[in-house]
Amino acid sequence: MVFDADGELFNKLPLGVVGGYGSTSINLDGGCGLVTGDTYSVGVNGGRAPSALAVSFGANHAWHNLSSSRAVAPTGFSDRLTADYNARDTQVDGDVGYSFDLGRAALQPFACLAYVEAGLGTALSVNYSIQVGYVLNEVDDRSGKHIRHEHFNIAWCGCGPIDPRA
């Protein structure tokens, strides 16, 4: 389930708020185990294109409640093992682009930077990505309809140091 509300801040900056909830459950064959997870998330996004220059941003934080249980039954012994975890992740991203009017087409090269941190109480890993690319829209002169839309990007992703104590 996801909700989203959009509006303008000071009649100038488009701003949105997003939130969600998700639940999953996985049963192991023969009823030997079960894994369940609930996720709650909230975020903001916005952007502005006052001219050919377009800037946008977003941030999201999610909380995860995870539980697992499984049956262990070697010969002459049986037990049920359980575990409960709380995890979280945060993502912050932003991009900038510039539109060039090419007559019946518009070309917008862009660059995007994202930062993601995930962990179980403390930072387990930090990831980041850099994307560059373009969007090309072409319009038919007679009908005014879009006749071509191209979107291309290339990304470089990296992972920061992983804390072995986490």
Side-chain angles (χ1 to χ4, degrees):
M1 174 173 53
V2 176
F3 76 87
D4 181 30
D6 296 311
E8 285 191 1
L9 187 62
F10 306 117
N11 292 323
K12 293 185 184 225
L13 177 65
L15 189 64
V17 177
V18 65
Y21 169 76
S23 181
T24 189
S25 179
I26 302 168
N27 287 304
L28 300 176
D29 288 338
C32 295
L34 173 68
V35 178
T36 61
D38 293 309
T39 297
Y40 305 87
S41 66
V42 64
V44 296
N45 58 68
R48 181 120 170 105
S51 61
L53 179 67
V55 178
S56 65
F57 66 90
N60 192 69
H61 189 79
W63 298 266
H64 314 281
N65 300 318
L66 311 166
S67 297
S68 65
S69 66
R70 65 184 176 114
V72 178
T75 305
F77 178 79
S78 70
D79 199 358
R80 187 143 201 95
L81 305 176
T82 62
D84 293 305
Y85 299 97
N86 292 314
R88 59 163 178 72
D89 60 76
T90 302
Q91 176 174 335
V92 179
D93 60 79
D95 65 75
V96 62
Y98 193 87
S99 290
F100 294 96
D101 186 359
L102 305 175
R104 61 182 214 169
L107 176 68
Q108 184 187 54
F110 66 89
C112 177
L113 179 63
Y115 170 86
V116 178
E117 181 178 303
L120 299 167
T122 62
L124 180 61
S125 68
V126 174
N127 302 298
Y128 47 90
S129 69
I130 300 170
Q131 297 181 37
V132 293
Y134 70 87
V135 176
L136 177 67
N137 288 307
E138 187 174 359
V139 177
D140 184 281
D141 288 334
R142 294 183 193 149
S143 69
K145 293 182 180 180
H146 282 86
I147 57 175
R148 182 170 65 167
H149 176 83
E150 291 181 16
H151 187 133
F152 171 81
N153 69 6
I154 187 166
W156 178 79
C157 299
C159 183
I162 295 174
D163 186 349
R165 296 168 292 162

